Amino acid sequence: MGLFLSLLRGGTGGNSASATRMPKDTESSARFSKQFNEFIFNLGDTRNAQFIEENFPDGNRLLKVGQILLQRISGYQESTEEIRAAITDPTPENEETAWRKVGPSVELLVECYQHAQTVEQVIPDVLDELCNHVDHEDSTATDRSRGLARLLADLMQNAFAFDSLKASIPAIQNDFSYYRRTLSRISASQNDDIAKYAISQDISNKMSLFYAYHNPMVKVVVDSASQYARESNNEQLVLDCLSALASGSYNTVKQSKADSAKSERLCVLVLVTCCVLYDWISASGVGSPQSTINAKAVLDLISQRSLVDSTPADKVLRANCKTIR
């Protein structure tokens, strides 16, 4: 972690401590931009993706699975008409028609829920690598940290995108609600083509809680990160790491140092990701006077930039933070 932070910090020795605890005043934005040297200016470089693939295969697989699920969710087939007919006229034929239509959709929702559980398990590993396992003698430490930052940001981007899609498809909630109400009859069906869509009551209950949130996938990430910080007794270390990454990203975007438009967009994504995680891990939140990330400066910087499906980055940030509205 020491080398990781030293790669980001501007200045040396005693100056770094005061820089990471800057007060919020009229000059805070200027001091914020000078906290750390830009370090992720080439985040879009293909070598970072290669690092993830070679050194963090579980994370790489998650990214690929996440992308596939996003494509499938974007083509979600709602069962509104079939469900309406089954409720209005609950004949066995109408119910079976509704179950045949909603069944494949529920299978997809189960896959997304299971994917979220896997993401939950990987997030602590990524944070642990970022915060604790950078070898001071490792000449590739910068590449490693940059690659891990890219992985964390890409996982969060998938989460942002999933939650955005979920919010745009009300049928997801409606379809699953009907499915749960009739689950006992689905399980008891003598028709194997219907009964195969039955899941356990326990999984059904957990999925209901998961999809009830407006940002279920982001919640999984922040809950996992918060639990890691709390149970590992590394809360301050994690916050320092997130602050460092945020500052490096801020500087790169603010000073137009990115080597490509893709790198700049990824820096904005890292910045938003760090702010969201910081907000939920810190007891006072990223928007508080005690925060080592200047939320106002971040909002000003990203307000004209898009993040997910042309959604302004500042809107994504506000929607996923508790202390920024």
Side-chain angles (χ1 to χ4, degrees):
M1 179 64 182
L3 178 58
F4 174 63
L5 288 176
S6 69
L7 289 167
L8 293 163
R9 284 181 177 135
T12 58
N15 293 333
S16 60
S18 60
T20 58
R21 290 291 182 270
M22 77 251 186
K24 290 284 192 70
D25 59 26
T26 57
E27 297 180 2
S28 62
S29 179
R31 287 199 300 277
F32 177 74
S33 67
K34 294 177 181 177
Q35 271 193 77
F36 304 102
N37 291 324
E38 60 275 9
F39 124 100
I40 50 178
F41 66 92
N42 63 344
L43 201 60
D45 193 299
T46 55
R47 288 174 297 181
N48 298 315
Q50 291 171 355
F51 165 83
I52 296 172
E53 184 175 357
E54 294 171 2
N55 297 280
F56 223 106
D58 289 343
N60 186 59
R61 282 193 294 272
L62 271 183
L63 292 178
K64 291 181 178 180
V65 171
Q67 286 297 317
I68 292 171
L69 290 175
L70 286 174
Q71 292 176 3
R72 293 173 62 190
I73 282 289
S74 66
Y76 185 86
Q77 299 293 311
E78 63 180 54
S79 307
T80 305
E81 295 302 322
E82 291 81 2
I83 290 174
R84 182 181 293 116
I87 293 175
T88 303
D89 184 16
T91 64
E93 293 77 13
N94 283 347
E95 283 199 330
E96 282 206 2
T97 298
W99 293 337
R100 289 179 188 277
K101 184 63 184 294
V102 79
S105 297
V106 170
E107 286 186 331
L108 174 57
L109 297 180
V110 170
E111 287 185 57
C112 293
Y113 170 74
Q114 292 172 336
H115 174 70
Q117 304 314 296
T118 308
V119 170
E120 181 180 38
Q121 296 170 8
V122 166
I123 292 297
D125 293 337
V126 177
L127 289 175
D128 191 59
E129 287 288 329
L130 273 173
C131 297
N132 294 304
H133 298 291
V134 174
D135 188 347
H136 287 230
E137 304 301 324
D138 184 1
S139 60
T140 65
T142 303
D143 291 338
R144 183 175 182 80
S145 296
R146 188 185 294 117
L148 287 165
R150 170 73 182 270
L151 173 58
L152 182 63
D154 283 344
L155 287 171
M156 188 61 107
Q157 177 174 245
N158 283 356
F160 288 145
F162 178 87
D163 290 350
S164 177
L165 281 171
K166 185 257 183 185
S168 70
I169 309 174
I172 288 177
Q173 287 286 88
N174 297 334
D175 290 356
F176 191 64
S177 177
Y178 171 78
Y179 171 86
R180 291 191 73 219
R181 292 199 304 271
T182 60
L183 178 56
S184 60
R185 297 204 296 279
I186 294 175
S187 301
S189 175
Q190 298 301 307
N191 187 331
D192 291 343
D193 289 338
I194 300 299
K196 69 180 181 180
Y197 294 123
I199 61 176
S200 71
Q201 195 64 51
D202 180 57
I203 294 297
S204 172
N205 293 338
K206 290 177 179 178
M207 286 178 61
S208 180
L209 291 174
F210 173 75
Y211 286 106
Y213 290 100
H214 76 279
N215 58 345
M217 201 66 76
V218 169
K219 186 177 187 301
V220 164
V221 175
V222 298
D223 283 355
S224 179
S226 299
Q227 183 176 0
Y228 163 76
R230 182 174 61 254
E231 294 183 353
S232 65
N233 295 317
N234 274 344
E235 183 173 305
Q236 191 56 55
L237 192 62
V238 174
L239 292 176
D240 287 346
C241 178
L242 293 173
S243 180
L245 279 174
S247 296
S249 303
Y250 180 94
N251 289 339
T252 299
V253 176
K254 179 74 172 178
Q255 300 168 14
S256 301
K257 297 290 188 179
D259 67 345
S260 66
K262 181 179 181 180
S263 289
E264 181 170 293
R265 184 179 180 281
L266 285 167
C267 283
V268 173
L269 179 60
V270 170
L271 183 54
V272 172
T273 296
C274 290
C275 287
V276 171
L277 294 179
Y278 190 108
D279 192 60
W280 289 95
I281 293 173
S282 168
S284 55
V286 73
S288 72
Q290 293 76 35
S291 172
T292 55
I293 298 177
N294 188 328
K296 183 179 184 304
V298 171
L299 287 168
D300 289 344
L301 180 69
I302 67 176
S303 61
Q304 302 302 316
R305 292 174 168 82
S306 298
L307 199 60
V308 178
D309 295 330
S310 300
T311 303
D314 61 320
K315 184 176 180 180
V316 174
L317 182 57
R318 293 179 191 278
N320 290 284
C321 286
K322 58 183 178 179
T323 62
I324 301 179
R325 293 299 181 206

